[in-house]
Amino acid sequence: MAVRVLIKRQMKRGISQDVLALLNKLRSGAMNRDGYVTGESLLGIDDPRKLLVISTWQDMDSWKSWKEDPSRMESENELKKYLEGPTEYEAYALGMYHH
């Protein structure tokens, strides 16, 4: 079942070139993963320090595989110094979900 993942980040300051480079690295890595469908990055209108990434994956296992990938974790760790708090993740099933 396809899933949509929301990744929320609050930057300490605006989006710098260093932050953009890290975000582009993360996005490029995701795009090359099996199971990746699409994604978009959104910047807060009222607060440009807020960044929301929405990605769609074929299934939860594909997302988990990317989330736990060592290269992704390395980039995420580099990004931490620019963040006001921890990165937040939320995953949602697309369509109706039955247990």
Side-chain angles (χ1 to χ4, degrees), residues 2-20:
V3 296
R4 186 150 299 147
V5 178
L6 280 60
I7 304 172
K8 300 176 185 180
R9 296 182 177 101
Q10 176 80 30
M11 311 310 290
K12 289 181 181 174
R13 295 178 223 42
I15 307 296
S16 69
Q17 290 301 318
D18 292 338
V19 171
L20 281 176

Side-chain angles (χ1 to χ4, degrees), residues 19-53:
V19 171
L20 281 176
L22 284 169
L23 294 172
N24 285 334
K25 184 177 178 182
L26 285 165
R27 184 175 176 98
S28 295
M31 292 171 70
N32 291 315
R33 295 295 293 211
D34 287 338
Y36 177 83
V37 177
T38 189
E40 59 187 329
S41 298
L42 307 170
L43 206 55
I45 296 288
D46 294 330
D47 185 352
R49 296 176 307 137
K50 287 185 179 181
L51 179 66
L52 174 65
V53 175

Side-chain angles (χ1 to χ4, degrees), residues 24-91:
N24 285 334
K25 184 177 178 182
L26 285 165
R27 184 175 176 98
S28 295
M31 292 171 70
N32 291 315
R33 295 295 293 211
D34 287 338
Y36 177 83
V37 177
T38 189
E40 59 187 329
S41 298
L42 307 170
L43 206 55
I45 296 288
D46 294 330
D47 185 352
R49 296 176 307 137
K50 287 185 179 181
L51 179 66
L52 174 65
V53 175
I54 303 171
S55 61
T56 304
W57 297 82
Q58 290 177 354
D59 52 53
M60 196 63 187
D61 287 339
S62 296
W63 158 245
K64 285 181 182 179
S65 176
W66 170 237
K67 185 180 181 197
E68 296 167 3
D69 182 271
S71 66
R72 183 192 181 283
M73 292 172 71
E74 181 180 318
S75 294
E76 191 70 40
N77 282 331
E78 288 180 48
L79 194 57
K80 283 182 182 178
K81 63 184 171 190
Y82 301 102
L83 299 179
E84 188 118 329
T87 299
E88 297 178 26
Y89 300 92
E90 295 179 24

